[in-house]
Coordinates of all heavy atoms in Angstrom, one line a residue:
K1 N 0.8 -1.2 0.0 CA 0.0 0.0 0.0 C 0.9 1.3 0.0 O 0.5 2.2 -0.7 CB -0.9 0.0 1.2 CG -2.1 -1.1 1.1 CD -2.8 -1.1 2.4 CE -3.8 -2.3 2.4 NZ -4.5 -2.5 3.7
R2 N 2.0 1.3 0.8 CA 2.8 2.4 0.8 C 3.5 2.7 -0.6 O 3.6 3.8 -1.0 CB 4.0 2.2 1.8 CG 3.5 2.3 3.3 CD 4.7 2.4 4.2 NE 5.5 1.3 4.2 CZ 5.4 0.2 5.0 NH1 4.3 0.2 5.8 NH2 6.2 -0.8 4.9
T3 N 3.8 1.6 -1.3 CA 4.4 1.7 -2.6 C 3.4 2.3 -3.6 O 3.7 3.2 -4.4 CB 4.9 0.4 -3.1 OG1 6.0 0.0 -2.3 CG2 5.3 0.4 -4.6
L4 N 2.2 1.8 -3.5 CA 1.1 2.4 -4.4 C 0.8 3.8 -4.1 O 0.5 4.6 -5.0 CB -0.1 1.5 -4.3 CG -0.3 0.4 -5.4 CD1 -0.4 1.1 -6.8 CD2 0.8 -0.6 -5.4
D5 N 1.0 4.2 -2.8 CA 0.7 5.6 -2.4 C 1.8 6.5 -3.0 O 1.6 7.6 -3.2 CB 0.7 5.7 -0.9 CG 0.4 7.1 -0.5 OD1 -0.7 7.5 -0.8 OD2 1.2 7.7 0.3
S6 N 3.0 5.9 -3.3 CA 4.1 6.7 -3.8 C 4.1 6.8 -5.3 O 4.8 7.6 -6.0 CB 5.5 6.2 -3.3 OG 5.7 4.9 -3.9
L7 N 3.3 5.9 -5.9 CA 3.2 5.9 -7.4 C 1.9 6.4 -8.0 O 1.9 7.1 -9.0 CB 3.4 4.4 -7.9 CG 4.7 3.8 -7.7 CD1 4.6 2.3 -7.9 CD2 5.8 4.4 -8.5
G8 N 0.8 6.1 -7.3 CA -0.5 6.6 -7.8 C -1.1 5.8 -8.9 O -2.3 5.5 -8.9
V9 N -0.3 5.5 -9.9 CA -0.7 4.7 -11.0 C 0.4 3.7 -11.4 O 1.6 4.0 -11.3 CB -1.1 5.5 -12.3 CG1 -2.4 6.3 -12.1 CG2 0.0 6.4 -12.8
V10 N 0.0 2.5 -11.7 CA 1.0 1.5 -12.2 C 0.5 1.0 -13.5 O -0.6 0.5 -13.6 CB 1.2 0.3 -11.2 CG1 2.1 -0.7 -11.8 CG2 1.7 0.8 -9.9
Q11 N 1.3 1.3 -14.6 CA 0.8 0.9 -15.9 C 0.7 -0.6 -16.2 O 1.6 -1.3 -15.7 CB 1.8 1.6 -17.0 CG 1.3 1.3 -18.4 CD 2.2 2.1 -19.4 OE1 2.9 3.0 -19.1 NE2 2.2 1.6 -20.7
I12 N -0.4 -1.0 -16.8 CA -0.6 -2.4 -17.2 C -0.2 -2.6 -18.6 O -0.6 -1.8 -19.5 CB -2.1 -2.8 -17.0 CG1 -2.5 -2.5 -15.6 CG2 -2.3 -4.2 -17.4 CD1 -4.1 -2.6 -15.5
D13 N 0.7 -3.5 -18.9 CA 1.1 -3.8 -20.3 C 1.1 -5.3 -20.5 O 1.5 -6.1 -19.6 CB 2.5 -3.2 -20.5 CG 2.8 -3.2 -22.0 OD1 2.4 -2.4 -22.8 OD2 3.5 -4.2 -22.5
A14 N 0.7 -5.7 -21.7 CA 0.6 -7.2 -22.0 C 1.9 -7.9 -22.2 O 1.9 -9.1 -22.2 CB -0.4 -7.3 -23.1
V15 N 2.9 -7.1 -22.6 CA 4.2 -7.8 -23.0 C 4.8 -8.6 -21.8 O 4.8 -8.0 -20.7 CB 5.2 -6.7 -23.5 CG1 6.6 -7.4 -23.8 CG2 4.7 -6.0 -24.7
N16 N 5.2 -9.8 -22.0 CA 5.6 -10.6 -20.9 C 7.0 -11.2 -21.2 O 7.2 -12.4 -20.9 CB 4.6 -11.7 -20.7 CG 4.7 -12.5 -19.4 OD1 5.3 -11.9 -18.4 ND2 4.2 -13.7 -19.3
A17 N 7.8 -10.4 -21.8 CA 9.2 -10.9 -22.2 C 10.0 -11.3 -21.0 O 10.7 -12.3 -21.0 CB 10.0 -9.8 -23.0
V18 N 9.9 -10.5 -19.9 CA 10.6 -10.9 -18.6 C 9.5 -11.2 -17.6 O 9.5 -12.3 -17.0 CB 11.4 -9.7 -18.2 CG1 12.1 -10.0 -16.8 CG2 12.5 -9.4 -19.2
A19 N 8.6 -10.3 -17.4 CA 7.4 -10.4 -16.5 C 6.5 -9.3 -17.0 O 6.9 -8.4 -17.6 CB 7.8 -10.4 -15.1
R20 N 5.2 -9.4 -16.5 CA 4.4 -8.2 -16.8 C 5.0 -7.0 -16.1 O 5.5 -7.0 -15.0 CB 3.0 -8.4 -16.2 CG 2.3 -9.7 -16.6 CD 1.8 -9.6 -18.0 NE 0.9 -10.8 -18.4 CZ 0.6 -11.2 -19.6 NH1 1.0 -10.5 -20.6 NH2 -0.1 -12.3 -19.8
S21 N 4.8 -5.9 -16.8 CA 5.5 -4.6 -16.4 C 5.1 -4.2 -15.0 O 6.0 -3.8 -14.2 CB 5.1 -3.5 -17.4 OG 5.7 -2.3 -16.9
H22 N 3.8 -4.4 -14.6 CA 3.4 -4.0 -13.3 C 4.2 -4.7 -12.2 O 4.5 -4.2 -11.1 CB 1.9 -4.0 -13.1 CG 1.3 -5.4 -13.4 ND1 0.9 -5.7 -14.7 CD2 1.1 -6.4 -12.7 CE1 0.4 -6.9 -14.7 NE2 0.5 -7.4 -13.4
L23 N 4.5 -6.0 -12.5 CA 5.3 -6.8 -11.5 C 6.7 -6.3 -11.4 O 7.3 -6.3 -10.3 CB 5.2 -8.2 -11.9 CG 3.8 -8.8 -11.9 CD1 3.8 -10.3 -12.3 CD2 3.1 -8.7 -10.5
L24 N 7.3 -5.9 -12.5 CA 8.7 -5.4 -12.5 C 8.7 -4.1 -11.8 O 9.7 -3.8 -11.0 CB 9.1 -5.2 -13.9 CG 9.3 -6.5 -14.8 CD1 9.5 -6.1 -16.3 CD2 10.4 -7.4 -14.2
V25 N 7.8 -3.2 -12.0 CA 7.7 -1.9 -11.3 C 7.6 -2.2 -9.8 O 8.3 -1.5 -9.0 CB 6.5 -1.1 -11.8 CG1 6.3 0.1 -10.9 CG2 6.8 -0.7 -13.2
L26 N 6.7 -3.1 -9.3 CA 6.5 -3.4 -7.9 C 7.8 -4.0 -7.3 O 8.2 -3.7 -6.2 CB 5.3 -4.2 -7.7 CG 4.0 -3.6 -8.1 CD1 2.9 -4.7 -8.1 CD2 3.7 -2.5 -7.1
R27 N 8.4 -4.9 -8.1 CA 9.6 -5.5 -7.5 C 10.8 -4.6 -7.3 O 11.5 -4.7 -6.3 CB 10.1 -6.7 -8.5 CG 11.3 -7.5 -8.0 CD 11.9 -8.3 -9.0 NE 12.8 -7.4 -9.9 CZ 14.0 -7.1 -9.6 NH1 14.7 -7.6 -8.6 NH2 14.7 -6.3 -10.5
S28 N 10.9 -3.6 -8.2 CA 11.9 -2.6 -8.0 C 11.8 -1.8 -6.7 O 12.8 -1.3 -6.2 CB 11.9 -1.5 -9.2 OG 12.3 -2.2 -10.4
R29 N 10.6 -1.8 -6.2 CA 10.4 -1.0 -5.0 C 10.2 -1.9 -3.7 O 10.5 -1.4 -2.6 CB 9.2 -0.1 -5.1 CG 9.5 1.0 -6.2 CD 8.3 1.5 -6.9 NE 8.6 2.6 -7.8 CZ 9.0 2.4 -9.0 NH1 9.3 1.3 -9.5 NH2 9.3 3.5 -9.8
L30 N 9.8 -3.1 -3.9 CA 9.4 -3.9 -2.8 C 10.3 -5.1 -2.6 O 10.4 -5.7 -1.5 CB 7.9 -4.4 -3.0 CG 6.8 -3.4 -2.8 CD1 5.5 -3.9 -3.4 CD2 6.6 -3.1 -1.3
G31 N 10.8 -5.6 -3.7 CA 11.5 -6.9 -3.6 C 10.5 -8.1 -3.8 O 9.3 -7.8 -4.1
G32 N 10.9 -9.3 -3.5 CA 10.0 -10.4 -3.5 C 9.9 -11.0 -5.0 O 10.4 -10.5 -5.9
T33 N 9.3 -12.1 -5.0 CA 9.1 -12.8 -6.3 C 7.9 -12.3 -7.0 O 7.0 -11.7 -6.4 CB 8.9 -14.4 -6.1 OG1 7.6 -14.6 -5.4 CG2 10.0 -15.0 -5.3
H34 N 7.9 -12.4 -8.4 CA 6.7 -11.9 -9.1 C 5.5 -12.7 -8.7 O 4.3 -12.1 -8.7 CB 7.0 -12.1 -10.6 CG 8.2 -11.2 -11.1 ND1 9.0 -11.7 -12.1 CD2 8.6 -10.0 -10.7 CE1 9.9 -10.7 -12.3 NE2 9.7 -9.7 -11.4

């Protein structure tokens, strides 16, 4: 919740070359597995 409060929006994108973009954005700030 704190991370979402610092971002406001997390873009959703269908490309899954590494992982869905929203999971990469969250991992950069939170850690953890996708």
Side-chain angles (χ1 to χ4, degrees):
K1 289 172 186 175
R2 287 193 297 271
T3 293
L4 265 295
D5 186 59
S6 69
L7 292 170
V9 294
V10 177
Q11 184 174 338
I12 303 167
D13 191 82
V15 176
N16 197 22
V18 178
R20 304 287 187 197
S21 176
H22 52 274
L23 298 177
L24 296 171
V25 170
L26 294 170
R27 188 197 71 89
S28 289
R29 290 150 177 86
L30 288 164
T33 66
H34 296 146

